[in-house]
C-alpha cells in the first residue's frame, strides 16, 4: 500500500473534503496539521513550493490539493497510485 500524507489545517473545508474522500475509499493516510506550527508550515512550503492546504503526497510525490485529488479519483488514477 502506498504511503499517503496530507498536510491540513483545522478550519479548511477543502482539507475536510480531501480527508473524507480518502476515508471513504479506505485509504490510510498521515494527517499533518500545520495550523499552529510555523516550522511545519515552513517545511511544507520548502517541500512543495506552496503554502496552501491541503497538500497531498503519495509515496513522497506531490499530487496537489483537493481539486487534484478529486481529479485523480475521477480519472481512476487514485486507486492505481494508492495500491502501488
Amino acid at each position: 500500500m502506498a504511503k499517503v500524507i496530507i498536510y491540513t489545517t483545522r478550519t479548511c473545508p477543502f482539507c475536510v473534503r480531501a480527508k473524507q474522500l480518502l476515508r471513504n475509499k479506505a485509504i490510510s493516510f498521515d494527517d499533518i496539521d500545520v495550523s499552529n506550527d510555523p516550522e511545519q508550515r515552513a517545511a511544507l512550503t520548502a517541500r512543495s513550493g506552496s503554502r496552501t492546504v491541503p497538500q497531498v503526497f503519495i509515496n513522497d510525490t506531490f499530487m496537489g490539493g483537493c481539486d487534484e485529488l478529486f481529479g485523480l479519483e475521477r480519472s481512476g488514477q487514485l486507486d492505481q497510485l494508492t495500491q502501488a
Side-chain angles (χ1 to χ4, degrees):
M1 184 88 84
K3 180 174 172 103
V4 179
I5 300 172
I6 182 169
Y7 290 84
T8 64
T9 61
R10 283 180 228 116
T11 59
C12 168
F14 297 104
C15 297
V16 172
R17 284 188 64 217
K19 290 190 289 187
Q20 190 61 47
L21 172 62
L22 294 171
R23 285 187 191 109
N24 287 346
K25 296 191 65 63
I27 297 170
S28 62
F29 60 92
D30 293 327
D31 181 7
I32 301 175
D33 185 348
V34 298
S35 298
N36 296 315
D37 191 338
E39 289 178 15
Q40 194 71 276
R41 176 77 79 151
L44 172 61
T45 302
R47 184 175 184 188
S48 69
S50 178
R51 289 185 44 84
T52 62
V53 289
Q55 290 190 30
V56 180
F57 291 81
I58 300 175
N59 291 329
D60 292 323
T61 300
F62 179 50
M63 296 291 133
C66 185
D67 290 342
E68 291 80 10
L69 185 64
F70 274 85
L72 290 171
E73 170 62 7
R74 281 189 301 275
S75 71
Q77 292 179 319
L78 185 57
D79 290 334
Q80 293 172 357
L81 291 167
T82 57
Q83 292 175 8

